Amino acid sequence: MKTPRILISGGGTGGHIFPALSIAEAVKRRHPGAEILFVGAEGRMEMQRVPAAGYEIIGLPVSGFDRKRPWKNIRVLYRLWKSMRRARKVVREFKPDIAIGVGGYASGPTLKAAQKAGVPTLLQEQNSYAGVTNKLLAQKAKAICVAYDGMEKFFPAEVIVKTGNPVRANIVNSSVSKEEAKKKLGFDPGKPLVAIVGGSLGARTLNRVMADSLQRFVDKEVSVLWQCGKYYAKEYVPMGEGKQDVVVTDFIKDMDLVYRAADVIVSRAGAGTISELQIAGVPVILVPSPNVAEDHQRHNAEALVATGSAVMVLDADAINSLPVEIMYLLEDEPRREALATNIKKMALPGASDTIAGIIDDIINKK
């Protein structure tokens, strides 16, 4: 097989970027000389994270549709038109052997341009409820890699492959003990630890809950690791200052340690995070974001609740219910163990390598 040229598009959040980078690393393990080019959305997180990982990225001016203010979509349509033109230029000049879409604003124009140019495409759908872009691209895709059963209601059954979602290697390979992980994060290994993970940008509801109930956890001698996100750092990071076994931070780099250390994790229900939780086998309370397309986070959470693998608290109920649910779970070790066992059963390790193998097969058939 000749050295492959791979185009990977998508991003917007860590839930799209980390799987994309995991796929790129898996391709590089098979083909060290592979040429990989990313296409992202200007001003979004991927424009920093992808170059930091050592890959080239081209930005498109694409943005999402404003459902609440339709009159603003004239500008969105213009950006989409410009993005389509730029995507066609990228495909024409890079001449990829395959184009991979991982979700996010940029993947639509890029994959559409690739399909029109006769380039085979692979979609990686992370959620249990498929997004609009992937549904539109599905008819011409050579493979659609999914993490949940029942996806034939969205996609042609003959191209669906259940691979799981790619997960960062340091999380898959983590072997540190709970006590050692707590120590490395600066917490007392003798205290229970609750970790609140609101995503890289932050989650307003989770932050409000923690602001209201932080002292309650301190009084109960519960350690708290609270990731408030970069949008909320100025407001909430000072709340952790001077408190023993409380850390409030905008971003957590060592999520592998967090998954090992936490007795309970509170998280949004993004697909990438759920896949990491499944690999790590951690008791989790999911608070689905209501601000995502097709309410897909609630569908993700419900898929776990149905198998006894997670607790779900709706965003609208979180202010009153979440602190209570956290304490119930911290005080109920058998239930925590059952949740951890069940969520671990859902894990599909090795997804990025499986997807890299599918990429090879598609290129070889081409």
Side-chain angles (χ1 to χ4, degrees), residues 10 41 92 95 154 230 249 267 271-272 283 320:
R92 187 168 63 248
K95 297 182 175 64
F154 305 111
K230 73 172 187 177
T249 181
S267 174
N320 295 320

Side-chain angles (χ1 to χ4, degrees), residues 197-198 203-206 266-270 273 286-290 297 315:
V197 186
R204 179 182 287 121
T205 299
L206 299 189
V266 178
S267 174
R268 289 304 202 188
T273 299
L286 296 172
V287 186
S289 171
Q297 286 204 6
D315 191 88

